[in-house]
Amino acid sequence: WLRQRDKVKGIYRDATDHASDARNTIKNNSDHLDQLARRIELLYSAEVDRHREIASIKSLAEALHRQVQARSARYQQFEAGLAEDLKGSEYERGLHVQVMQEYMLEMGRLGGQS
């Protein structure tokens, strides 16, 4: 009877030790999982922030590109207007030269007739 009781106590003590070890292992694993979960949350938050910054930079770059295109179009229109003005000035200068030549010829004829 005493032997059996000692044997049962030994089995109980071994079971209690194993249960305690299992609880400690579970607690350590749980703590480790909590740390990993916090790390994942930090990484996810950092990644979300990074994507938000990239989207913001992309949006700014697209807006700047649109501004550059609009300015380029305005400059092209301005240059086209200047080219037209230059053509008009050259045409008017040519007309002036022609009129002056005709005037000089006419004056020469009139002067020669006197």
Side-chain angles (χ1 to χ4, degrees), residues 88-102:
S89 294
E90 289 173 355
Y91 176 75
E92 288 175 6
R93 190 171 34 251
L95 284 178
H96 176 72
V97 168
Q98 183 182 352
V99 167
M100 288 304 291
Q101 287 173 346
E102 290 173 3

Side-chain angles (χ1 to χ4, degrees), residues 4-96:
Q4 280 187 336
R5 189 178 74 182
D6 288 342
K7 193 175 182 180
V8 169
K9 281 184 180 180
I11 292 171
Y12 179 77
R13 197 172 23 257
D14 286 345
T16 304
D17 289 344
H18 285 302
S20 178
D21 289 343
R23 276 194 300 277
N24 288 336
T25 300
I26 290 171
K27 170 105 174 75
N28 289 338
N29 288 344
S30 178
D31 290 346
H32 186 68
L33 286 174
D34 288 344
Q35 289 173 356
L36 289 175
R38 284 191 295 277
R39 178 86 173 126
I40 288 170
E41 287 175 14
L42 289 173
L43 290 173
Y44 179 77
S45 177
E47 190 66 14
V48 167
D49 289 345
R50 189 176 74 79
H51 281 283
R52 191 175 294 126
E53 288 174 9
I54 288 170
S56 175
I57 290 169
K58 183 180 177 186
S59 176
L60 290 173
E62 289 170 348
L64 182 60
H65 184 255
R66 285 190 299 273
Q67 286 178 350
V68 168
Q69 284 180 324
R71 284 186 183 171
S72 176
R74 284 196 300 271
Y75 288 139
Q76 286 175 352
Q77 289 173 347
F78 180 72
E79 285 177 350
L82 287 178
E84 287 299 315
D85 288 348
L86 182 60
K87 286 179 189 175
S89 294
E90 289 173 355
Y91 176 75
E92 288 175 6
R93 190 171 34 251
L95 284 178
H96 176 72

